[in-house]
Amino acid sequence: MKKLFISLVAAIVAATATFAQSSLVATLSHQGEVSVFHGANSLRQAMEAADHGDIITLASGRYNAANIDKAITLRGAGVEEDTITGAFRTQIVGNFNINIADTISEHLTIEGIYHESTITFYGTLNNAMLQKCRFATIENSNFGNTVNSLTCIHCNIVTRIVLPQNSSASFISCVVTSPSNQYGGTMEFTNCIIPNDIIYIRNAFFQNCILNAYYTGFGSQRLSGTCMATYCVGWSYGASSPFENISKTTNTALSQEQVNALFKPNTFYELTDEAKSEYVGIDGMEIGIYGGNIPYDTRILSPQITKCKVAAKTTADGKLSVDIEVKAAE
């Protein structure tokens, strides 16, 4: 990481002069103007002040959740923590809803956020993007909702994602636990890893993926006959293959032990050197999340505010001491 030290513009100084120091910083960019909010509720304050198309950037730390009802870009500092390098994640604490009117032309983007609770879709969400995030549960509130053209890139969904009726979503280089679109719609998975349930997936296409379908109390694990898969490998509980009901021409069924042995110990689904050479996708590259054109990477490339320190009062000659630290990936 490299550090850049910048001076605070007058508008930000005015907004922050009353704060001596805060590590929880949310900045709101609206039509070239920047506002700054501090503390655990700063995300809520920024969301209340935001308009469609605005950008909210969160520094590292834990922020109280806020419902998202505007088509904004929400950027965090990432999902990883490393005490050696000093990298700390941006975590949103608590459940929140996504409910954006379908008449809005702007699109929702969420990047670099760590979340351990539940996100619930309401209404109709169009062309949203989730990238470099870690989520627990994403679900649907009722049958009247729709998610159109949701794109997830480099995300880790650790519990489940349940799409509303007749929705469409694509996942690229993601770990997607227990995805479900059983009420209709389409799903597409490219260079993904699918742990746990696969029996609630309909009308889906898998390419260069690894399926590890454990038993979770819902019977034999196999893909529906409405699905298609190519250059995938996998194991499934209670079936000869996760591909039992579909074409097996380019797909390989493995045992549970063989699937587990694909990955290097103590890594996040990194294939062993042997597996990389043995299991390649339609593009000739390794299958799984580190293959393909955009291999899995949680680094956040946009600059992030990591420190905002403002003196409690001005000096005798009217000057205010301001110290802001911004980090950006190399």
Side-chain angles (χ1 to χ4, degrees), residues 163-174:
L163 292 182
Q165 187 176 19
N166 298 322
S167 296
S168 58
S170 62
F171 303 85
I172 302 171
S173 300
C174 293

Side-chain angles (χ1 to χ4, degrees), residues 242-259:
F243 317 110
E244 189 173 284
N245 294 330
I246 63 176
S247 171
K248 309 174 190 61
T249 305
T250 57
N251 303 305
T252 304
L254 302 176
S255 68
Q256 181 181 4
E257 292 75 16
Q258 287 174 318
V259 170

Side-chain angles (χ1 to χ4, degrees), residues 212-223:
N212 202 9
Y214 288 89
Y215 174 70
T216 57
F218 298 105
S220 299
Q221 297 287 322
R222 57 173 70 87
L223 290 174

Side-chain angles (χ1 to χ4, degrees), residues 68-291:
I68 297 178
D69 56 3
K70 297 162 187 173
I72 59 157
T73 294
L74 176 61
R75 292 175 178 157
V79 300
E80 304 296 340
E81 289 200 340
D82 189 335
T83 55
I84 296 176
T85 63
F88 296 96
R89 64 189 175 215
T90 297
Q91 182 172 350
I92 295 179
V93 180
N95 301 333
F96 67 89
N97 303 328
I98 297 177
N99 187 4
I100 300 171
D102 61 356
T103 57
I104 303 302
S105 59
E106 292 85 359
H107 308 307
L108 172 67
T109 298
I110 302 178
E111 178 182 11
I113 296 297
Y114 185 100
H115 189 243
E116 290 188 316
S117 300
T118 299
I119 300 171
T120 305
F121 292 124
Y122 284 82
T124 299
L125 181 66
N126 294 320
N127 301 303
M129 176 176 287
L130 310 176
Q131 56 186 350
K132 300 180 184 292
C133 292
R134 185 271 194 196
F135 300 116
T137 300
I138 303 176
E139 62 183 24
N140 167 44
S141 62
N142 60 59
F143 285 101
N145 302 324
T146 304
V147 173
N148 295 317
S149 301
L150 173 68
T151 301
C152 297
I153 303 174
H154 298 176
C155 288
N156 178 19
I157 301 172
V158 300
T159 303
R160 67 180 180 275
I161 177 169
V162 180
L163 292 182
Q165 187 176 19
N166 298 322
S167 296
S168 58
S170 62
F171 303 85
I172 302 171
S173 300
C174 293
V175 177
V176 190
T177 304
S178 300
S180 171
N181 66 335
Q182 62 178 318
Y183 304 114
T186 60
M187 303 177 87
E188 183 174 333
F189 302 87
T190 304
N191 286 94
C192 290
I193 295 175
I194 318 295
N196 286 7
D197 290 325
I198 59 175
I199 59 176
Y200 294 124
I201 305 172
R202 304 289 184 269
N203 301 312
F205 176 70
F206 298 83
Q207 180 173 282
N208 307 343
C209 293
I210 301 173
L211 282 65
N212 202 9
Y214 288 89
Y215 174 70
T216 57
F218 298 105
S220 299
Q221 297 287 322
R222 57 173 70 87
L223 290 174
S224 164
T226 62
C227 296
M228 297 178 61
T230 182
Y231 290 88
C232 296
V233 304
W235 166 82
S236 59
Y237 174 89
S240 61
S241 162
F243 317 110
E244 189 173 284
N245 294 330
I246 63 176
S247 171
K248 309 174 190 61
T249 305
T250 57
N251 303 305
T252 304
L254 302 176
S255 68
Q256 181 181 4
E257 292 75 16
Q258 287 174 318
V259 170
N260 292 335
L262 294 177
F263 307 110
K264 293 180 182 179
N266 303 316
T267 66
F268 188 71
Y269 293 108
E270 290 185 26
L271 296 183
T272 64
D273 293 339
E274 181 180 358
K276 289 179 183 179
S277 59
E278 183 173 358
Y279 299 105
V280 296
I282 193 172
D283 53 5
M285 303 174 70
E286 65 177 279
I287 63 172
I289 59 176
Y290 297 100

